[in-house]
Amino acid sequence: MTARIGVVTFPGSLDDRDTQRAIRVAGAEPVALWHKDKDLKQVDAVVLCGGFSYGDYLRAGAIARFSPVMDTVIEQAKAGLPVLGICNGFQILTEAHLLPGGMLGNDHLHFICRDQKLRVENAGTAWTRDYTAGQEIHIPLKNMDGRYVADRRTLDELEAEGRVAFRYLDVNPNGSLNDIAGITNAAGNVVGLMPHPEHAVESLIGTGRTDGMPFFTSILKKLVNA
């Protein structure tokens, strides 16, 4: 039976089609989900894709967090549904309190688009098990509000519990505290990161790297072996 992975589209989403393609290339079935619908169509996992939902008004992800679909995503994520938030999706996950902390504007106040070097810190989540802890990868990064922040207690908990999933290497592109590029919840089923793995799944396009593919093969293997 083919695993079904939903991709939510909000007004202002940019990368829903790219994410669907990445899922298809990995061998799963992408399922388009609309932000106004609470029905997740019995998917096995959900991706909140990148973009600028609602034009990033108020704060990035602040309005999308109240879309009807998020009521179901929040409920099922707390029950164990695997959820991946990419860029704007990461921002939405923090606004929905499925992940701690928050996202602010880049410290240099400019939009950034670059091929970013990362280190995999946690290879035990539903979305990272095809990586190796300590592995260095390159994933495209593009954001305006990518600076991860949290209070000291939260940062200490994330570090102590091994919940920093990815860390920026060589350069911190946006001023994120502790060079954090992505985190996971305690259960490991919810992961958020600022870089875009869906843009690094085929060697003939984008950066020419496939370092993002393990996100999608990881969840596929988890769902197949569950």
Side-chain angles (χ1 to χ4, degrees):
M1 183 175 179
T2 303
R4 291 162 43 86
I5 301 178
V7 179
V8 180
T9 298
F10 299 91
S13 293
L14 299 179
D15 300 299
D16 43 354
R17 297 296 181 90
D18 303 72
T19 304
Q20 290 173 25
R21 178 173 176 79
I23 291 168
R24 188 177 297 110
V25 171
E29 177 188 351
V31 178
L33 301 175
W34 183 236
H35 74 112
K36 284 190 175 182
D37 298 329
K38 288 191 174 185
D39 182 11
L40 296 186
K41 301 181 181 179
Q42 297 182 318
V43 296
D44 303 300
V46 167
V47 180
L48 305 180
C49 66
F52 302 90
S53 59
Y54 293 93
D56 281 350
Y57 289 117
L58 300 182
R59 289 183 311 276
I63 299 177
R65 174 263 177 272
F66 292 102
S67 289
V69 72
M70 287 305 299
D71 291 338
T72 311
V73 170
I74 292 169
E75 178 184 1
Q76 295 198 20
K78 290 180 178 179
L81 179 74
V83 178
L84 175 65
I86 301 171
C87 195
N88 189 228
F90 185 11
Q91 296 160 344
I92 295 169
L93 289 177
T94 62
E95 291 288 339
H97 303 297
L98 286 174
L99 291 174
M103 313 299 298
L104 297 178
N106 298 341
D107 59 353
H108 45 71
L109 303 181
H110 295 287
F111 180 85
I112 189 169
C113 182
R114 55 172 290 140
D115 187 17
Q116 178 65 46
K117 189 176 182 180
L118 308 173
R119 182 172 62 238
V120 180
E121 301 283 18
N122 186 330
T125 79
W127 300 92
T128 61
R129 57 179 55 195
D130 264 2
Y131 290 110
T132 301
Q135 182 178 350
E136 297 181 2
I137 60 176
H138 290 78
I139 301 289
L141 175 74
K142 51 177 186 176
N143 63 70
M144 182 68 187
D145 300 293
R147 177 161 53 113
Y148 180 77
V149 297
D151 59 63
R152 178 49 55 187
R153 178 178 178 181
T154 298
L155 289 172
D156 289 345
E157 288 179 352
L158 289 173
E159 298 287 0
E161 296 173 8
R163 290 171 53 196
V164 175
F166 298 90
R167 212 180 300 270
Y168 296 118
L169 289 183
D170 293 347
V171 61
N172 185 325
N174 44 38
S176 292
L177 298 180
N178 291 23
D179 297 327
I180 290 174
I183 61 175
T184 178
N185 67 343
N189 64 303
V190 179
V191 171
L193 80 160
M194 286 310 296
H196 286 259
E198 77 279 12
H199 295 326
V201 298
E202 296 178 284
S203 60
L204 293 178
I205 60 175
T207 63
R209 300 176 183 269
T210 59
D211 290 358
M213 179 55 75
F215 276 91
F216 305 101
T217 56
S218 291
I219 190 61
L220 181 57
K221 289 180 181 179
K222 174 179 174 54
L223 295 174
V224 170
N225 296 326

